[in-house]
DNA sequence: AGATATTTGTTCGTATGTATC
DNA sequence: GGATACATACGAACAAATATC
């Protein structure tokens, strides 16, 4: 469980945690991040709040989302998820 | 964008606009009116303010609302949306 | 093909806290 | 203090996309 501060919105604080985990390699590029439902359970927040978290991360470009599937960590570069074929030359 | 006057509440002024559009036929009976989210964007107001707008219009009978769907222009008469077949006599 | 489960997208309903007038 | 207005947050319902059985 996490201790929410009073001086900042919950959705920002949760977004921070996800960002940190991505930076730490807990969630790696291309892999799925927790669903909104997962965030609800883990952080004890409402779904709309979890949705707000994901929207913020998406707008940053940190993650991308596919409806019906979930959200995934963006590639460090700008390559699209299935767009890298080892053409590294 | 609309110029808000200082001497009257914003939610009243926005309600006026919606009422005018309905009268002008921009939003016709049975069709959907902008969502609260739409109003937020178009008028640059908070969601609670947008909600207040819709509540006022609802209490007048101008619109009716279905949660999860949206709000719709009421029929001029009391007929149901798909109940008029030109039976005018 | 159909039913079900999961997941995100969007809508309205409501309450609280803060700031302003 | 009351009315207005904003942001945050939780709840509930409807909708669409995806995957599985």
């Amino acid at each position: 469980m996490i201790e929410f501060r009073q001086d900042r919105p919950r959705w920002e604080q949760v977004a921070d945690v996800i960002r940190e985990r991505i930076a730490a390699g807990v969630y790696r590029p291309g892999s799925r991040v927790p669903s909104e439902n997962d965030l609800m359970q883990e952080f004890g927040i409402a779904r709309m709040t979890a949705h707000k978290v994901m929207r913020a991360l998406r707008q940053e470009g940190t993650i991308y989302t596919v409806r019906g599937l979930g959200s995934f960590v963006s590639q460090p570069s700008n390559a699209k998820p299935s767009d890298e074929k080892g053409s590294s030359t």
Side-chain angles (χ1 to χ4, degrees), chain A residues 5 7-8 10 14 18 20-21 24 26 29-31 33-34 36 42 45 55 57 60 66 69 72-73 75 79-80 89:
Chain A
R5 302 188 47 154
D7 58 342
R8 287 181 59 230
R10 291 189 174 190
V14 174
I18 305 301
E20 286 165 15
R21 289 182 185 168
V26 179
S31 71
V33 297
E36 295 178 356
E42 177 176 357
I45 58 179
R55 182 175 33 164
L57 295 174
E60 293 173 2
V66 182
L69 265 183
F72 307 83
V73 181
Q75 306 297 327
K80 294 227 283 279
T89 319

Side-chain angles (χ1 to χ4, degrees), chain A residues 7-86:
Chain A
D7 58 342
R8 287 181 59 230
R10 291 189 174 190
W11 65 265
E12 275 188 13
Q13 297 180 55
V14 174
D16 285 343
V17 174
I18 305 301
R19 248 184 250 109
E20 286 165 15
R21 289 182 185 168
I22 292 174
V26 179
Y27 310 136
R28 292 179 308 149
S31 71
R32 213 169 78 87
V33 297
S35 69
E36 295 178 356
N37 216 311
D38 291 335
L39 294 187
M40 288 174 63
Q41 304 237 342
E42 177 176 357
F43 297 98
I45 58 179
R47 203 202 139 202
M48 292 312 299
T49 306
H51 189 71
K52 209 167 183 177
V53 171
M54 303 313 266
R55 182 175 33 164
L57 295 174
R58 200 179 319 129
Q59 286 183 335
E60 293 173 2
T62 304
I63 64 173
Y64 63 92
T65 301
V66 182
R67 186 184 199 180
L69 265 183
S71 293
F72 307 83
V73 181
S74 300
Q75 306 297 327
S77 55
N78 279 358
K80 294 227 283 279
S82 314
D83 207 28
E84 359 119 336
K85 307 217 199 76

